[in-house]
Amino acid sequence: MDGGMIATTDTLVRFTGVQKTYDGEHLVVKSLDLDIRKGEFLTLLGPSGSGKTTTLMMLAGFEVPTHGEIFIGDRPIKNMPPHKRDIGMVFQNYALFPHLTIEENVAFPLSVRGVPKAEVKERVKAALDMIKLGNLANRRPGQLSGGQQQRVALARALVFNPALVLMDEPLGALDKRLREHMQLEIKRLHETMGLTVVYVTHDQGEALTMSDRIAVFNDGIVQQIDRPDALYERPVNSFVANFIGENNVLSGVVENIEQGWARVALDAGGSVVAQAVNIGGAGNRTSLSLRPERVAIETGDSGDSSMNRLPATLTDLIYLGDHTLAVLNTPANPEFMVKLPAGSYAGLVPGQDVYIAFRPEDCRALDPV
Amino acid sequence: MTAAFVAGADVPLKRRLKRAERARQFRALGLVLPLLAFLLFTFVVPLAGMIWKSADDWEVPQVMPQTVAALKQWNGQGLPDEAAFAALAADIRTAREAGTLAVAAKRLNYIINGYRTTLLSTGRKLKEQPAPGTAKDTLIGIAPAWGERESWTAIKSASGPVTSYYLLAAVDLTRNADGAIVAAPPDQAIYRDVFIRTFTIGFGVTALCLILGFPVAYLLANLPTGRSNLLMIFVLLPFWTSLLVRTCAWIVILQSEGIVNGSLQWLGVIDEPLRLIYNRFGVYMAMTHVLLPFMILPLYSVMRGISPAYMRAAASLGAPPTTAFLRIYLPQTIPGIGAGCLLVFILAIGYYITPALVGGAADQMISSFIAFYTTETVNWGLASALGAVLLLSTLVLALVYGKLALGRQTTGGLKN
Ligand SMILES: Nc1ncnc2c1ncn2[C@@H]1O[C@H](COP(=O)(O)OP(=O)(O)OP(=O)(O)O)[C@@H](O)[C@H]1O
Ligand SMILES: [Mg+2]
């Protein structure tokens, strides 16, 4: 939970208390406070219908916030029409103009700005070379593959050096390999051109690899905004813990809290010590979050009393090359998953009674699910 | 698999592709065959019949075969010889008995006004075949017109089997006694004006439909489904009533004592009723109303396919709304504009009930004349020739459109 709220001088865009409703009944965006810093790659990540596109559209000027204000620099942009916002946008389905050639598509933002013809030619050529499509300049969008069209859309959104680039699931329509290739390409452009990018996706892998910061959306609310590693290692609530990466959940009731450590009595019996992150006082229900790679399997008692230890039965071992996934049945969670590093499961056989062991600092007590 | 590959290897790839394509083409042909057969009998055959009729010249050869044969050798200078006069007398007598003389008389009367009287009165007065050698004097005695060269060139020019007379007449041309193509006499030279009027009205109505229809189609394509369906019903409403009823409604609305004039007078805007009908204004008004849906529907179907994402993309790239419309939206609607204009124009130039009912004498379009010649005077030749000229000019326009449309064709691009 670092400084999403800290107003620094290099803040490019700021949302303050933004709400949005389409039907006047329920809020699609409930209360959005968000700072976008100059030069950063910010990803909006969240399940379908969580309000990511709506947020982007408000920023681009195609939707008007029902409440609250958006600033670019210090200027409120409520009354600024989209074409004056200087925001480059890449749409999910590219929206390349079908009646114009690739060259004309990329030249469009320059020619509407009245850039002299010779300069337009030069910059378009540079932009097409940047995406390595200079040889297709005279084709029409319909004659290009999906990946090529996406690159053209990218070049078109970048050619006029916008202050901010918005991308709404730009890679959603591409196959996996091409998607990974394009991720690298976008990342490279971001770094070499020093762009500020707001990127929407519901693919968490994409979000984790590309972003400087990720804002996790759910139900019209930003659940957490943080660096990818912090988001994964230190989720602040159960939604984020479950949405990002694999997660094991154990439910229980808080017995006591002491200096940030909570003793939790599990519903299925036994008690563990966990980091108190997002819980009320003693007596409240909580869901414990445990990453599969932070748990060890012990066949006997190691005697380390600083570890939490729960009995379990090994039900399955799934070989996955670089690691092995162990599925265990514990009273608290019948499908508990543990990631074992390659080669470390010697001697384990399904059906065996074992213990799962984890450190209190790897176990986060969050809001109950 | 390898075996199969090798088995066909001696046949060149091109040929194999062609063979595969041919099967597909046959299947496609099979699907449209019923329609083709239908079109053949309801469209192609009547059309061919019409074009043939515009050149067919059967009356004189059939009614006056001997005269036609006798005039074969005549060079058109001076008067024909005695044998031709005898043949004419014989033909007239035979035809009069058979009752077919009027048919030839009608045909020849197109060429020279008054020919009918000459021929029919000659028929009446020619009691018997003149004695050999006296045919010329007898005939000229009955009707002095037979002593004029033009009477004979008329027969010769109408002696078939085909004639350019009708087609020339349809564009205000005719042949003089020497067979040269010259302008028709002023009292017959009306069709060019009528064609120009027809096309002027056609273009005018098309332009009005485009101006009025484009915004409506845009609205239809961009409203939420529920409301656009409602609006669509209003657009289609005119199709639910007959053309005649709609046109008569305009008469009720626009006539001197009609609703519009009544209201304006009541409001004190005007003192005298405005002349809104039985003139060009009424024609434009009524025809635009009738043809508007034919513009809106093709426009709508094209606009439906244009994603709002394009306009958003244009705006995000810095284009103000007008620029975005002119450079992004409008060009993508051109197929719809083309189709709508072509449809409205072709329908408009074929209209005749509406101009006949709400237009004045100077607003009648070519179809009225075609109808007049087919139903009133039964001059199939001229009616067909006018139809053929209309068809030809329409075809030329369609070809120009096709060229333009093909030139603009794109391979689509992703719609989203
Ligand atoms: N134009 C609109 N009119 C009414 N409701 C809308 C409109 N656009 C979006 N919504 C609703 O707002 C909510 C949020 O939509 P939004 O498009 O922002 O979601 P999203 O996070 O982008 O989802 P996805 O990942 O599926 O694209 C959804 O429940 C959607 O039904
Ligand atoms: Mg979306």
Side-chain angles (χ1 to χ4, degrees):
Chain A
M1 263 228 80
D2 81 350
M5 308 295 147
I6 302 166
T8 46
T9 47
D10 62 352
T11 297
L12 183 64
V13 176
R14 174 176 305 157
F15 287 75
T16 54
V18 171
Q19 297 184 337
K20 173 73 187 175
T21 173
Y22 286 105
D23 51 11
E25 278 172 24
H26 88 276
L27 290 170
V28 168
V29 172
K30 286 192 178 132
S31 173
L32 185 61
D33 294 287
L34 184 67
D35 281 10
I36 301 167
R37 300 170 190 161
K38 218 165 255 168
E40 83 169 332
F41 196 113
L42 176 72
T43 296
L44 313 185
L45 176 67
S48 195
S50 57
K52 308 180 297 287
T53 299
T54 305
T55 304
L56 220 54
M57 288 298 160
M58 288 191 289
L59 182 49
F62 301 121
E63 295 291 351
V64 186
T66 314
H67 183 85
E69 188 55 271
I70 306 173
F71 299 88
I72 293 185
D74 307 324
R75 286 185 63 185
I77 55 172
K78 191 167 261 166
N79 296 318
M80 195 190 280
H83 66 274
K84 293 201 175 139
R85 294 195 180 189
D86 197 26
I87 292 176
M89 182 139 188
V90 180
F91 294 81
Q92 177 163 11
N93 290 308
Y94 324 131
L96 295 180
F97 306 132
H99 59 296
L100 302 180
T101 63
I102 300 313
E103 196 169 15
E104 289 163 342
N105 261 285
V106 177
F108 185 80
L110 298 176
S111 68
V112 297
R113 283 176 171 74
V115 175
K117 279 221 163 58
E119 192 189 334
V120 170
K121 224 178 158 68
E122 209 169 287
R123 282 168 72 176
V124 168
K125 191 177 176 322
L128 287 178
D129 287 344
M130 173 188 79
I131 54 163
K132 304 187 188 75
L133 287 179
N135 53 336
L136 303 181
N138 292 318
R139 295 233 192 135
R140 289 188 195 272
Q143 297 166 311
L144 261 54
S145 74
Q148 289 168 335
Q149 292 189 39
Q150 187 55 281
R151 268 142 71 194
V152 175
L154 209 56
R156 191 179 67 173
L158 300 181
V159 72
F160 60 104
N161 297 327
L164 180 63
V165 184
L166 310 183
M167 304 191 192
D168 190 358
E169 301 194 32
L171 309 181
L174 305 183
D175 69 47
K176 185 167 176 295
R177 187 191 287 252
L178 196 53
R179 202 158 61 219
E180 282 163 3
H181 175 76
M182 287 300 298
Q183 286 170 6
L184 293 178
E185 193 130 343
I186 291 173
K187 199 64 197 147
R188 180 175 66 84
L189 290 172
H190 168 244
E191 272 150 22
T192 55
M193 298 180 66
L195 301 170
T196 308
V197 178
V198 180
Y199 191 95
V200 167
T201 181
H202 50 220
D203 176 345
Q204 50 153 311
E206 194 166 290
L208 290 174
T209 52
M210 297 179 78
S211 321
D212 295 326
R213 288 194 306 156
I214 299 173
V216 181
F217 273 64
N218 189 39
D219 205 17
I221 289 177
V222 176
Q223 305 285 336
Q224 185 173 0
I225 173 163
D226 222 328
R227 295 206 319 274
D229 56 333
L231 215 52
Y232 183 81
E233 306 283 348
R234 297 186 291 280
V236 297
N237 60 33
S238 288
F239 175 81
V240 177
N242 286 316
F243 193 71
I244 310 264
E246 302 287 340
N247 187 39
N248 291 304
V249 178
L250 303 173
S251 309
V253 177
V254 179
E255 280 184 341
N256 61 57
I257 306 177
E258 228 171 76
Q259 291 176 346
W261 300 101
R263 176 156 289 279
V264 177
L266 297 180
D267 298 343
S271 84
V272 295
V273 178
Q275 259 192 69
V277 179
N278 188 3
I279 50 176
N284 281 324
R285 294 197 56 77
T286 179
S287 289
L288 303 179
S289 155
L290 273 165
R291 295 295 183 196
E293 66 279 6
R294 300 284 177 179
V295 182
I297 296 180
E298 294 179 352
T299 46
D301 194 339
S302 67
D304 182 352
S305 64
S306 70
M307 299 278 272
N308 292 307
R309 198 171 279 106
L310 294 171
T313 310
L314 186 62
T315 51
D316 211 353
L317 278 173
I318 301 163
Y319 177 71
L320 290 168
D322 57 341
H323 71 271
T324 298
L325 190 66
V327 185
L328 300 110
N329 186 357
T330 69
N333 182 341
E335 292 222 332
F336 197 97
M337 284 185 285
V338 176
K339 268 187 197 167
L340 302 168
S344 70
Y345 61 96
L348 293 177
V349 286
Q352 193 177 353
D353 286 327
V354 294
Y355 290 95
I356 50 175
F358 47 92
R359 298 184 304 167
E361 50 266 49
D362 293 330
C363 177
R364 296 170 71 78
L366 305 172
D367 51 315
V369 285
Chain B
M1 186 205 150
T2 321
F5 194 73
V6 172
D10 50 332
V11 186
L13 196 57
K14 261 230 171 78
R15 183 115 44 88
R16 276 185 283 160
L17 173 68
K18 239 183 217 147
R19 209 179 286 162
E21 287 286 296
R22 210 174 303 138
R24 212 172 47 82
Q25 285 163 354
F26 274 129
R27 244 195 325 276
L29 190 67
L31 289 174
V32 295
L33 211 54
L35 177 65
L36 282 183
F38 179 78
L39 282 182
L40 186 69
F41 283 106
T42 59
F43 189 66
V44 178
V45 171
L47 210 60
M50 181 195 84
I51 290 170
W52 167 242
K53 275 245 180 314
S54 69
D56 187 14
D57 205 10
W58 58 275
E59 295 97 332
V60 173
Q62 193 171 320
V63 176
M64 309 165 84
Q66 298 179 48
T67 317
V68 167
L71 286 179
K72 278 255 161 61
Q73 289 85 3
W74 182 47
N75 61 4
Q77 300 303 317
L79 283 178
D81 56 11
E82 173 65 24
F85 278 88
L88 178 66
D91 277 337
I92 289 178
R93 284 174 49 74
T94 326
R96 187 170 149 73
E97 265 158 43
T100 55
L101 193 55
V103 174
K106 186 174 161 198
R107 167 70 180 91
L108 290 168
N109 204 55
Y110 295 153
I111 306 174
I112 297 172
N113 238 332
Y115 214 116
R116 179 199 305 270
T117 325
T118 310
L119 201 56
L120 292 185
S121 71
T122 309
R124 253 194 326 277
K125 290 176 189 163
L126 196 63
K127 298 282 186 280
E128 56 191 15
Q129 178 69 21
T134 63
K136 184 171 178 177
D137 297 334
T138 315
L139 284 175
I140 295 176
I142 293 174
W146 296 122
E148 286 163 20
R149 177 177 150 236
E150 281 77 13
S151 306
W152 294 93
T153 55
I155 297 180
K156 194 170 165 70
S157 78
S159 58
V162 292
T163 178
S164 57
Y165 170 77
Y166 299 114
L167 286 169
L168 288 176
V171 287
D172 292 350
L173 293 173
T174 188
R175 283 181 195 275
N176 63 12
D178 297 323
I181 295 175
V182 294
D187 61 318
Q188 289 172 29
I190 52 171
Y191 303 115
R192 271 189 220 176
D193 278 349
V194 176
F195 272 113
I196 290 173
R197 180 191 306 158
T198 304
F199 286 110
T200 310
I201 293 178
F203 279 119
V205 169
T206 308
L208 280 173
C209 283
L210 183 60
I211 293 168
L212 295 175
F214 195 94
V216 178
Y218 180 83
L219 200 62
L220 269 176
N222 291 288
L223 275 183
T225 320
R227 265 183 286 169
S228 83
N229 282 346
L230 191 70
L231 189 57
M232 183 59 103
I233 290 175
F234 283 116
V235 170
L236 295 178
L237 211 54
F239 285 133
W240 296 0
T241 45
S242 91
L243 176 63
L244 214 54
V245 172
R246 274 179 285 161
T247 307
C248 291
W250 279 111
I251 299 178
V252 173
I253 293 170
L254 295 179
Q255 64 192 343
S256 302
E257 303 82 37
I259 298 169
V260 172
N261 273 317
S263 316
L264 288 178
Q265 272 174 308
W266 185 78
L267 287 172
V269 180
I270 50 171
D271 302 324
E272 290 285 300
L274 291 175
R275 195 162 166 72
L276 299 173
I277 201 165
Y278 309 124
N279 58 12
R280 198 57 69 83
F281 175 83
V283 173
Y284 278 124
M285 193 83 155
M287 281 182 68
T288 303
H289 171 237
V290 169
L291 290 171
L292 200 52
F294 294 100
M295 179 64 82
I296 293 178
L297 292 178
L299 274 175
Y300 166 73
S301 78
V302 168
M303 288 177 176
R304 210 59 253 229
I306 302 177
S307 160
Y310 293 129
M311 288 298 272
R312 290 186 161 185
S316 82
L317 295 169
T322 328
T323 312
F325 175 78
L326 290 177
R327 290 187 50 184
I328 302 305
Y329 198 80
L330 195 59
Q332 293 188 63
T333 62
I334 280 184
I337 295 179
C341 287
L342 197 66
L343 199 59
V344 169
F345 183 77
I346 287 176
L347 285 171
I349 58 177
Y351 260 53
Y352 87 97
I353 295 183
T354 308
L357 289 179
V358 300
D363 306 312
Q364 299 311 308
M365 296 168 67
I366 198 68
S367 316
S368 318
F369 287 83
I370 297 176
F372 173 75
Y373 284 120
T374 44
T375 59
E376 302 283 317
T377 67
V378 200
N379 183 349
W380 280 98
L382 192 50
S384 299
L386 291 172
V389 173
L390 187 61
L391 176 70
L392 188 73
S393 25
T394 312
L395 275 183
V396 169
L397 275 169
L399 281 181
V400 170
Y401 164 74
K403 264 254 154 25
L404 290 180
L406 272 186
R408 296 200 142 267
Q409 202 177 46
T410 68
T411 40
L414 274 188
K415 304 266 169 176
N416 44 1

